[in-house]
Every structure is written in structure tokens, then in C-alpha cells.
């Protein structure tokens, strides 16, 4: 085998340590597959309150205790601790940057009381980025690739290319920056820029400056050697319009030649109905009748009447505008007139939490809602539902539609980003279709598509054939992980 690569994977969330969304799933699954391919990949993330020392067998790294890190004109101490991801034969080392005051809070990014971002998120993530660099310097570990993810780690690209441009340790290091969601940019007032310690000349439109503010996502876009997004369609969408690029469409357009869309995979060890330990009855494409037991358990959980002939539509989601809930809000009354049931698991914006909890009270026999975050229930919903609804306004990749396909739970999606790249419409393509797709972000189109799905559900033979096709789709990480490795190698060849 060619020389193994050393890769530092930087992410603010990693399953099982801390998670708010798909980034956490990706940040655990991709490094593990890359490790299995023989490369030395290590992960670093902040030590949030959820990262319990006992539960995750976390130990101190003595020489990285009380490490001084610059934050503006202050010096703050951070300690690095370590644990492993152990789902595979060869474990993956995970470093945690710890500072009680900055990270030990009830939520990763948002104050649950106000539902607003923590007011010192600039400090928290500037400290994280500088701390990551300090960690590598103290370890004396030379990464070939530093793979950054989203705005929380993006500043590292700018720091390495400016302040650390002459640092021998990073002389041959290449930086990959993956955008999982272009709408979250880490925008802070211009005053926060000073805390980064970056040279003043980087606060310009070719740098971190964005309409007078500091934009951390832009730091990644401007300074990384390679940009990736999490699906081919999303890579095109973000440079096309403001609806997708959220003001950075111009930058994405300029960087188009440096950008590639690589579809996320899914972790089949965690999300497979054949081996899922969190569901009442495991099943496969050959034992579809056992899926009914999960449907029964799901209806019981939500106190809905169980009827095999009535389709259950599942939703598991962050309750954010991105996910298309305003379309559901507009058509809720019409939906409730159809012969279907809906189960929702989610948390996030209050307006949507209220929408679903009120609906569950009003339509007791038709809709069940659990406001909160619950991994086990997410698995039960995937296994027990007949369909899965994701009418997203935009969706960089989306993992739940892939999980749904694996569980034979046919997705109803809007054709955007990764949803467009993974689901084929059953009505348009009866022989190859795996779900139901609509194109325009209009509530009537969504409603008509749900009606189409409810009609199709009546034809058991066709439905089961589609379920089996969906379950056989291969969304494992292998193919995409290979593409990342090829990309890393190509970058390292470039001078
Ligand atoms: P996003 O990252 O935009 O939230 P994805 O589809 O990529 O969307 O990934 C969402 C992940 O988070 C999935 O693993 C999903 O099961 C999980 N998830 C989202 N909301 C909840 C919740 N309330 N409870 C449990 N899991 C959730
Ligand atoms: C983001 C996106 C989601 C994607 C996930 C993992 O949170 O919203 O579409 O699947 O990141 O890449």
C-alpha cells in the first residue's frame, strides 16, 4: 500500500459524544471508514458538557494540560483530553479541547432559555481554532491534511495560511474545508475580528469581511486549498442564488473550480433494520412483515390507533425553517383530512415546536409529537413509519432520507441538494422509483405529492417492490470515503 496519510479531522460535533444534527453522524462515520482504509486519521472537537469523562472513558494528556491559548489580548488555558471511537476494529483517536467556562453548557451553540446563540460564540470557536493549532504544535504531529467542517472550525484555514505560513510543521499540510450548511456562517461584529489575532489585512472582502461584519465560514472558503460540499446538487445550488448561498453565492461562484460535491454516506452499522438494537423487531427486505411490529410499537408510543391500512408518515428533524415546516403549517388542516397519521420527533424553533404540540393535542388520533432529542425514538420512527417526510427548502445532503430508504420507509422529499441526488420518484419511474419527489417550494405541490404517496400505498404489490428496491440501495461510506482520499492525494501532489 502507498504511504498512509495523516489527517486531522476537525468538527464541533461527533457521535456519540455530542450531536445536534447530521454533522455529528458524518464526523464519526467518515473518519472510521478512512481509518479502516489504513490512514492515520484523528478527530478533534470541543469538550462540551455532554462529553462525560466517565461514560466515554476520557483521559487527560499530561503534556497538554493547561495549555495557554491566545484569545485577543487575553491568554486562556485549555486542556486536551482524549478518547477513542471504537465501532471498528482499529480505533480512531478523538481529542477534546476542554475549557469549562467556554464549553460546559447545556447546549452546544444556543442558549436553551433564550433560543439565541450563546453571546460569546466568537470566543468559544476562535479559542477552539487556535487551540487546535496549539495542540498540533505541542504534539509535534504533522498532518498531511487538515479537514475542517463548517464555520466552527473554518478560522483554522485562515490562521494556517497567514500567521502560521512559515511554520515548518504545516509546510506541506493541505486544508480541506467541507461546507455542511451554507446558511450557518458564524457572523460576528467587526470588533470580534481582533480576537482572532489574524493580520488586519485579512479583514477585507477577499478575506473574512462580510458587509462590515466578520464571517467565519468565509475564512474557510477564502483560505482552504479545497472546498467540498455534501452533495453534487448542493454544490451547484449554493453558487446559483441567494436562496442557497445565503449571501455567499458570489464567493461560491468564484471558488467553483476549487469546489466539489461529494455525497455523504451513512453508517450501516448504526442504521440498518437487520441489526438495529434500538428497535423492537429487526427485519430485512425478505421479512417485511416484521416491520409491522415496529409500526405497532410506534403507534403505541404516540397513542395513535394502529391500522396496517393507514400509512404513518414519520418526521425526525431539527425544527428549523430549512426543513420546510412552513409548508406543513400551511396545509396542516388539509393533511388532517387525508387517511394518514403523522409522527414527529424534533426540537428547535418555538413556532414549529408549538405547531406540532398543538396539532397533536387537537388531532389526537392522527398526529403524535415528541418535542426533544431522542436517538432511540428516531430509530423507532425510521423502522415503524411507512413514509418519511422531508419537504426541505434546501438540504445540503440530508441523512434521514437515506436512513429511511434503508428501512423501507419511502421518503417524500423536495428535489433539492442531497434529496434530489438520492430519491427517485415512483410515479415518474415505476420500475426504479424509491419515493415521492416534488420540485417547487410550494405547499400545494407538497400536499399533492403526499396525496400521491397515500394513493400509491394502497397498491401493496407495487409498494412492497419499491420498499425492497429502496432497502437495497447502497449508501455506505466506502465510495465517498475513497473520493475524499483521492482528493487528499491530489492536493498533496500540487505544489
Ligand atoms: P441536519 O444535519 O440538517 O439536521 P440530517 O438529515 O443530515 O439533517 O441529519 C439529522 C440527524 O440528526 C439524523 O441522524 C437524525 O436522525 C438526527 N436528529 C435530528 N433531530 C433529532 C431528534 N429530535 N432526535 C433524535 N435525532 C434527531
Ligand atoms: C447539515 C445539513 C444536512 C447534512 C448534514 C451532514 O447539517 O443540513 O443536509 O446532511 O449537515 O453533512
Amino acid at each position: 500500500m502507498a504511504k498512509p496519510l495523516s489527517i486531522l479531522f476537525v468538527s464541533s460535533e461527533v457521535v456519540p459524544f455530542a450531536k445536534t444534527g447530521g454533522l455529528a453522524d458524518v464526523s464519526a462515520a467518515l473518519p472510521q471508514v478512512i481509518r479502516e482504509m489504513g490512514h492515520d486519521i484523528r478527530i478533534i472537537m470541543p469538550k462540551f458538557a455532554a462529553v462525560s469523562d466517565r461514560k466515554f472513558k476520557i483521559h487527560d494528556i499530561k503534556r497538554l494540560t493547561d495549555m495557554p491559548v491566545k484569545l485577543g489580548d487575553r491568554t486562556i488555558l485549555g486542556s486536551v483530553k482524549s478518547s477513542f471511537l471504537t465501532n471498528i476494529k482499529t480505533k480512531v483517536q478523538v481529542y477534546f479541547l476542554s475549557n469549562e467556562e467556554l464549553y460546559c453548557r447545556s447546549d452546544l451553540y444556543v442558549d436553551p432559555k433564550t433560543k439565541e446563540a450563546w453571546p460569546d460564540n466568537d470566543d468559544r470557536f476562535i479559542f477552539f481554532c487556535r487551540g487546535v493549532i496549539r495542540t498540533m504544535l505541542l504534539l509535534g504531529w504533522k498532518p498531511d491534511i487538515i479537514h475542517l467542517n463548517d464555520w466552527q472550525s473554518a478560522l483554522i484555514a485562515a490562521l494556517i495560511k497567514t500567521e502560521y505560513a512559515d511554520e515548518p510543521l504545516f509546510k506541506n499540510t493541505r486544508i480541506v474545508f467541507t461546507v455542511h450548511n451554507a446558511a450557518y456562517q458564524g457572523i460576528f461584529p467587526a470588533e470580534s475580528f481582533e480576537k482572532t489575532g489574524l493580520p488586519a489585512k485579512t479583514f477585507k472582502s477577499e478575506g473574512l469581511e462580510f458587509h462590515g461584519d466578520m464571517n467565519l465560514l468565509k475564512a474557510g472558503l477564502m483560505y482552504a486549498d479545497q472546498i467540498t460540499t455534501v452533495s453534487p446538487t448542493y454544490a451547484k445550488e449554493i453558487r446559483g442564488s441567494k436562496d442557497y448561498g445565503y449571501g455567499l453565492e458570489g464567493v461560491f461562484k468564484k471558488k467553483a473550480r476549487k469546489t466539489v460535491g461529494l455525497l455523504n454516506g451513512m453508517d450501516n452499522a448504526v442504521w440498518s433494520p437487520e441489526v438495529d438494537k434500538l428497535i423492537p423487531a429487526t427485519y430485512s427486505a425478505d421479512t417485511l412483515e416484521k416491520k409491522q411490529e415496529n409500526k405497532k410499537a410506534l403507534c403505541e408510543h404516540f397513542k395513535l390507533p394502529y391500522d396496517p391500512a393507514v400509512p404513518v408518515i414519520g418526521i425526525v428533524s431539527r425544527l428549523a425553517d430549512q426543513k420546510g415546516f412552513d409548508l406543513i403549517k400551511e396545509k396542516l388542516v388539509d393533511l388532517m383530512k387525508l387517511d394518514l397519521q403523522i409522527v414527529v420527533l424534533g426540537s428547535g424553533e418555538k413556532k414549529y415546536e408549538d405547531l406540532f404540540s398543538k396539532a397533536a393535542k387537537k388531532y389526537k388520533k392522527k398526529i403524535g409529537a415528541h418535542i426533544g432529542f431522542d436517538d432511540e425514538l428516531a430509530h423507532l420512527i425510521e423502522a415503524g413509519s411507512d413514509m418519511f417526510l422531508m419537504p426541505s427548502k434546501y438540504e445540503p445532503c440530508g441523512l434521514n432520507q437515506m436512513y429511511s430508504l434503508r428501512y423501507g420507509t419511502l421518503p417524500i422529499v423536495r428535489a433539492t441538494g442531497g434529496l434530489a441526488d438520492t430519491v427517485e420518484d415512483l410515479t415518474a419511474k415505476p420500475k426504479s422509483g424509491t419515493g415521492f419527489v416534488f420540485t417547487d417550494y410550494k405547499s400545494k405541490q407538497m400536499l399533492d405529492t403526499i396525496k400521491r404517496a397515500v394513493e400509491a400505498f394502497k397498491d401493496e404489490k407495487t409498494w412492497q417492490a419499491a420498499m425492497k428496491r429502496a432497502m437495497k440501495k447502497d449508501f455506505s461510506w466506502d465510495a465517498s470515503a475513497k473520493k475524499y482520499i483521492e482528493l487528499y492525494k491530489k492536493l498533496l501532489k500540487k505544489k
Side-chain angles (χ1 to χ4, degrees):
M1 185 191 150
K3 189 175 158 279
L5 302 176
S6 49
I7 305 148
L8 183 73
F9 195 89
V10 191
S11 175
S12 56
E13 33 186 292
V14 182
V15 153
F17 307 110
K19 164 167 174 173
T20 68
L23 171 63
D25 298 32
V26 172
S27 302
L30 174 61
Q32 293 191 89
V33 176
I34 290 179
R35 181 73 194 94
E36 292 223 289
M37 290 173 170
H39 301 285
D40 179 7
I41 184 163
R42 308 180 194 181
I43 303 172
I44 186 160
M45 66 177 286
K47 190 171 181 293
F48 293 115
V51 188
S52 136
D53 292 85
R54 257 170 113 220
K55 185 167 165 202
F56 297 116
K57 301 198 178 98
I58 289 171
H59 55 267
D60 295 336
I61 303 179
K62 279 236 167 64
R63 65 192 161 114
L64 300 183
T65 303
D66 290 339
M67 163 178 94
V69 178
K70 249 179 61 189
L71 183 64
D73 46 20
R74 290 182 288 164
T75 297
I76 295 185
L77 299 181
S79 295
V80 181
K81 298 172 185 259
S82 161
S83 181
F84 294 95
L85 283 175
T86 52
N87 292 354
I88 48 165
K89 280 176 239 120
T90 7
K91 10 185 221 184
V92 173
Q93 180 151 29
V94 186
Y95 298 115
F96 302 93
L97 180 64
S98 137
N99 175 296
E100 289 248 341
E101 206 188 315
L102 291 176
Y103 303 127
C104 270
R105 307 197 184 161
S106 46
D107 189 276
L108 272 59
Y109 316 121
V110 171
D111 182 346
K113 277 198 211 110
T114 60
K115 296 230 172 221
E116 300 283 334
W118 294 110
D120 58 347
N121 271 352
D122 51 349
D123 291 359
R124 300 173 78 223
F125 292 101
I126 293 170
F127 179 83
F128 176 57
C129 291
R130 295 198 76 95
V132 168
I133 295 181
R134 191 96 310 251
T135 304
M136 281 183 284
L137 291 170
L138 289 176
L139 283 173
W141 185 60
K142 203 183 217 157
D144 296 314
I145 298 289
I146 302 179
H147 189 149
L148 309 173
N149 293 277
D150 279 352
W151 71 266
Q152 294 90 342
S153 55
L155 185 66
I156 292 173
L159 288 167
I160 299 253
K161 297 290 174 169
T162 57
E163 187 176 331
Y164 292 94
D166 298 324
E167 167 56 51
L169 197 77
F170 304 132
K171 196 168 155 260
N172 298 312
T173 301
R174 301 288 184 273
I175 304 206
V176 176
F177 179 49
T178 298
V179 179
H180 295 261
N181 197 326
Y184 297 85
Q185 300 181 353
I187 298 176
F188 299 96
E191 299 81 75
S192 299
F193 174 75
E194 277 183 24
K195 301 183 193 171
T196 65
L198 283 170
K201 63 172 198 243
T202 59
F203 196 72
K204 57 175 179 188
S205 71
E206 290 303 302
L208 282 72
E209 191 267 340
F210 182 71
H211 304 295
D213 289 330
M214 172 177 80
N215 184 321
L216 291 180
L217 192 87
K218 208 173 155 213
L221 301 178
M222 300 311 287
Y223 293 97
D225 298 299
Q226 171 77 47
I227 301 163
T228 76
T229 68
V230 288
S231 70
T233 296
Y234 190 61
K236 286 187 212 128
E237 287 172 335
I238 46 176
R239 55 177 177 255
S241 79
K242 197 171 186 327
D243 289 346
Y244 298 93
Y246 282 77
L248 287 175
E249 52 284 356
V251 179
F252 282 116
K253 202 166 178 188
K254 262 195 210 147
K255 298 283 175 188
R257 279 199 298 150
K258 267 195 182 178
T259 309
V260 57
L262 300 179
L263 191 72
N264 282 336
M266 52 171 284
D267 191 339
N268 286 321
V270 182
W271 295 97
S272 280
E274 294 88 350
V275 294
D276 193 330
K277 292 192 188 75
L278 299 176
I279 59 175
T282 52
Y283 60 97
S284 70
D286 298 324
T287 56
L288 284 183
E289 66 289 350
K290 289 217 249 157
K291 187 169 163 61
Q292 284 304 315
E293 289 177 42
N294 297 304
K295 181 168 174 177
K296 227 181 257 171
L298 180 64
C299 290
E300 260 167 41
H301 179 96
F302 282 104
K303 300 198 172 58
L304 296 172
Y306 164 72
D307 182 346
V310 175
V312 173
I313 302 182
I315 295 174
V316 179
S317 185
R318 286 185 295 115
L319 299 181
D321 285 332
Q322 167 192 350
K323 303 292 179 178
F325 295 115
D326 49 345
L327 300 189
I328 299 180
K329 190 172 179 183
E330 274 172 40
K331 292 294 178 197
L332 190 70
V333 176
D334 302 83
L335 279 171
M336 291 297 102
K337 288 182 193 149
L338 303 177
D339 204 11
L340 52 74
Q341 293 169 336
I342 298 180
V343 295
V344 186
L345 165 62
S347 65
E349 287 178 39
K350 190 168 178 309
K351 60 181 175 186
Y352 299 126
E353 292 188 349
D354 289 350
L355 169 75
F356 289 118
S357 32
K358 278 188 195 149
K361 275 191 201 123
K362 186 164 173 196
Y363 304 99
K364 280 202 170 62
K365 293 196 170 145
K366 294 198 73 107
I367 179 159
H370 180 111
I371 305 302
F373 196 93
D374 185 332
D375 193 39
E376 187 167 343
L377 185 55
H379 282 251
L380 180 62
I381 292 178
E382 288 293 2
S385 306
D386 298 293
M387 307 164 188
F388 195 91
L389 180 59
M390 282 176 93
S392 305
K393 192 181 272 176
Y394 70 91
E395 195 61 75
C397 178
L399 298 172
N400 277 110
Q401 84 282 9
M402 294 196 255
Y403 301 159
S404 301
L405 291 166
R406 278 292 292 128
Y407 284 75
T409 303
L410 302 192
I412 302 168
V413 303
R414 186 173 95 80
T416 177
L419 299 175
D421 294 337
T422 51
V423 184
E424 256 188 85
D425 189 82
L426 186 62
T427 317
K429 298 197 172 153
K431 293 244 154 55
S432 61
T434 50
F436 301 88
V437 183
F438 64 101
T439 46
D440 297 345
Y441 192 71
K442 300 247 162 65
S443 61
K444 183 171 181 312
Q445 277 209 11
M446 180 198 68
L447 181 65
D448 289 345
T449 308
I450 294 175
K451 284 183 182 162
R452 214 153 42 78
V454 171
E455 263 317 292
F457 184 72
K458 292 179 185 155
D459 178 354
E460 200 178 326
K461 212 168 134 215
T462 313
W463 191 270
Q464 289 206 351
M467 282 172 83
K468 287 185 182 174
R469 264 198 308 275
M471 292 174 82
K472 288 198 178 108
K473 290 266 166 206
D474 180 10
F475 292 112
S476 61
W477 263 107
D478 296 7
S480 295
K482 276 188 197 132
K483 288 187 191 154
Y484 275 108
I485 297 291
E486 277 164 27
L487 196 90
Y488 296 159
K489 287 187 175 160
K490 216 164 93 193
L491 282 173
L492 287 165
K493 273 192 202 136
K494 275 193 202 157
K495 278 277 167 247

